[in-house]
Amino acid sequence: MYFSERMVVLSLLLGATPTLAQESPAIMRAPPEAIMSTPATVAPQSPTAKPADTAGVPQVSAPKTAPAAGSEDASEPANQSREAGLSPGERLRVRSALLWSGDYTGSIGDGDPLSNAIKNFQKRQKSNVTGILSSMERANLLAAAQAHEDEFGWTVVVDPATGVRVGLPMKLVPHARDAAHGTHWSSPHGDVQVETFRMKKPDLNLAALFDQQKKEPSNRKVEFSVLHDDDFTITGMQGLKKFSVRAYARDGEIRGFTVLFDQMMATIVAPVTAAMTSAFSPFPERAMPFAAPAKPVEYGNGLVVSRRGHIVTDRKLTEGCRVIIAAGVGHADRVAEDEDTNLALLRVYGSPKVKPVAFASDVPRTGDVTLIGIPDPKEVNGPTKLTEVKARLANGNAIELHRLEPMAGLAGAAAIDAQGRVLGMMEMRSFVLASNEPSLPPVRLVSAYAIRAFLEANEVQIAGESTDTKAGIVRIICVRR
């Protein structure tokens, strides 16, 4: 996000997020945001702090080598000082808070970036400049960061349409809808917009997309652009709006995001741009909850459980629907729900031709599983193509994905074991998560035990004689307008 011609290039900014540095080394090469830079004069400050004197801050260059695998934060020097007694998660929260306060510039200089940032914070607080936070200083810093996150509705989620991890100021961009290649978030009047994209075509390459993005739409005026082997960044003006595009290539596909906002919004948008860049990861390996945008038409899956037309599905999928359709079966009514298990029971009347699934009599606590469902139509270019996602069942009914892939439309998919037994139904976690806090896995198993209990409570007798699991999986379509 380009803000002015006088920019501080925060080329080591992503050192504030060690998980990101480890997951996508390419990000460390491209200077963030101006590449997406935020002027130090508008960076958010602690409520009790005076604005920092940032005149004459030098530009710094990005590191030339990728971070060492397995390091906690390879963007910081090996001899960096550590905050005594803090876990890696707590250190991450301190770095994130220093980012929000405008004290973390990413410049190494004499010492490591974290220590320098703490000293900047302490200078503004007019306290002893030690490079190590006292308990009171840490509490004040974290409280100020939390205030900023609450102010903007800061949320870090995985976009189910593209698989990218993205930080969103939800109070600025509350409206979400499908985009051509991902998801589009915007403010009520469109003066701030964020759009993710994912492209996977045999003839698509990063250089070609780089050239296309510089020219389309035709009113773009590029002010900065850089292309590497596996990533690129473009910033400039698009009509009367500022724009930035970042894209990354891996495993035959390209993922990225675009930010667009009115020039008049710069002072409002500025405080969150560095946080958005830091939180973004195109190919995340760690679990985060999925975003849950309310769409006019939403797709999911259901499992046929009786020959009388009963179907069990994800409760959240069926909320607020004017019409519910079980594709290939008929219109469905929601006849029961359970908030504890997040299950909903649908019923299709008129003696539909259905094949109920057979649930396993026992569900292991751990082991490999396969998630089978019909994703969003735009993901498969067809109405009924089943998709399989490899995963692993962990303790507490958590499902650990081998890789966070696009999951749009897969809510309610069947979870089966190596023998083809239906262990239960997949639930996509979509609650919000503030900042970069660790989270529960993005999906979990609603076990066959829970489904049976739910059906028995609603007097539904399970047929369960079918051995063709795939025949009992149906697409559920919710029409909300």
Side-chain angles (χ1 to χ4, degrees):
M1 249 178 258
Y2 176 89
F3 289 99
S4 69
E5 294 182 0
R6 300 180 62 189
M7 297 178 298
V8 178
V9 181
L10 307 180
S11 62
L12 295 182
L13 175 63
L14 297 182
T17 308
T19 56
L20 183 56
Q22 294 167 19
E23 291 165 0
S24 184
I27 297 178
M28 300 301 297
R29 290 201 306 270
E33 300 320 274
I35 316 198
M36 300 175 95
S37 176
T38 303
T41 54
V42 294
Q45 304 294 337
S46 173
T48 59
K50 296 181 180 180
D53 181 8
T54 58
V57 177
Q59 292 189 349
V60 291
S61 59
K64 297 181 180 179
T65 57
S71 62
E72 180 184 321
D73 189 346
S75 66
E76 295 182 5
N79 63 346
Q80 65 179 321
S81 62
R82 293 296 188 185
E83 282 286 283
L86 293 184
S87 67
E90 290 171 325
R91 284 194 292 270
L92 176 57
R93 287 192 288 275
V94 168
R95 283 190 286 266
S96 179
L98 290 165
L99 189 71
W100 280 105
S101 69
D103 295 302
Y104 196 104
T105 66
S107 175
I108 294 178
D110 296 328
D112 68 84
L114 178 59
S115 178
N116 287 340
I118 293 173
K119 290 177 181 178
N120 290 339
F121 173 75
Q122 290 171 331
K123 288 176 184 177
R124 292 192 299 100
Q125 296 291 317
K126 295 184 178 180
S127 57
N128 293 332
V129 181
T130 63
I132 299 176
L133 293 170
S134 68
S135 297
M136 182 63 70
E137 288 172 336
R138 187 183 301 117
N140 290 339
L141 176 66
L142 296 178
Q146 186 64 55
H148 287 305
E149 292 173 356
D150 293 343
E151 177 185 359
F152 291 107
W154 180 248
T155 305
V156 181
V157 291
V158 170
D159 173 27
T162 61
V164 306
R165 185 182 72 195
V166 60
L168 295 169
M170 294 305 299
K171 291 184 180 180
L172 287 181
V173 289
H175 300 300
R177 60 176 173 81
D178 283 335
H181 301 285
T183 304
H184 181 96
W185 287 269
S186 70
S187 58
H189 301 291
D191 39 19
V192 181
Q193 302 175 44
V194 179
E195 183 169 313
T196 58
F197 59 85
R198 168 181 174 259
M199 300 177 185
K200 190 173 184 179
K201 299 178 182 178
D203 57 345
L204 182 65
N205 63 72
L206 195 66
L209 182 62
F210 176 70
D211 291 336
Q212 179 191 40
Q213 289 292 308
K214 289 195 295 183
K215 301 173 183 177
E216 298 179 5
S218 59
N219 63 340
R220 277 186 176 173
K221 180 181 178 182
V222 175
E223 296 174 336
F224 176 89
S225 65
V226 59
L227 172 66
H228 296 114
D229 291 340
D230 50 10
D231 69 90
F232 70 71
T233 299
I234 306 170
T235 66
M237 297 295 297
Q238 183 171 316
L240 298 177
K241 290 181 169 64
K242 297 176 186 264
F243 83 92
S244 177
V245 183
R246 304 197 75 180
Y248 306 86
R250 194 174 95 178
D251 298 337
E253 63 179 276
I254 301 173
R255 300 182 185 183
F257 76 116
T258 301
V259 179
L260 189 72
F261 64 94
D262 288 350
Q263 297 180 70
M264 298 297 291
M265 295 290 294
T267 56
I268 297 175
V269 177
V272 297
T273 57
M276 289 179 65
T277 304
S278 180
F280 181 74
S281 180
F283 300 93
E285 301 296 341
R286 290 171 172 79
M288 301 293 287
F290 283 97
K295 301 177 181 179
V297 179
E298 190 168 355
Y299 299 90
N301 292 264
L303 306 181
V304 178
V305 293
S306 82
R307 292 194 173 277
R308 293 163 47 196
H310 289 98
I311 301 171
V312 66
T313 188
D314 189 305
R315 180 181 64 87
K316 294 190 295 291
L317 172 65
T318 62
E319 288 182 334
C321 303
R322 292 182 58 189
V323 177
I324 301 175
I325 301 172
V329 182
H331 289 270
D333 293 332
R334 189 168 77 162
V335 296
E337 65 175 61
D338 185 277
E339 293 187 2
D340 293 334
T341 58
N342 200 41
L343 292 171
L345 181 63
L346 308 180
R347 176 77 187 277
V348 179
Y349 296 93
S351 301
K353 294 181 180 180
V354 292
K355 295 183 179 180
V357 300
F359 290 100
S361 57
D362 62 301
V363 179
R365 293 188 176 184
T366 60
D368 293 334
V369 296
T370 301
L371 307 176
I372 302 180
I374 307 169
D376 191 292
K378 71 178 183 181
E379 290 294 324
V380 294
N381 297 319
T384 58
K385 183 179 179 180
L386 287 167
T387 293
E388 297 185 4
V389 177
K390 300 298 182 182
R392 180 174 178 79
L393 185 62
N395 291 329
N397 284 343
I399 296 178
E400 299 175 348
L401 302 176
H402 293 332
R403 172 180 160 187
L404 279 178
E405 301 179 2
M407 301 285 285
L410 283 178
I416 67 171
D417 63 9
Q419 289 72 44
R421 303 180 306 162
V422 179
L423 304 180
M425 187 189 77
M426 181 195 79
E427 177 196 354
M428 291 176 58
R429 294 187 177 274
S430 58
F431 53 83
V432 298
L433 181 72
S435 189
N436 291 314
E437 297 282 353
S439 72
L440 295 173
V443 296
R444 76 176 187 98
L445 177 73
V446 182
S447 71
Y449 302 133
I451 295 175
R452 282 200 186 90
F454 174 61
L455 296 177
E456 290 174 2
N458 289 280
E459 300 180 349
V460 176
Q461 185 175 1
I462 303 176
E465 70 273 13
S466 174
T467 57
D468 186 0
T469 299
K470 295 181 179 180
I473 302 172
V474 296
R475 164 172 282 162
I476 304 298
I477 305 171
C478 166
V479 182
R480 292 193 169 91
R481 71 175 184 186

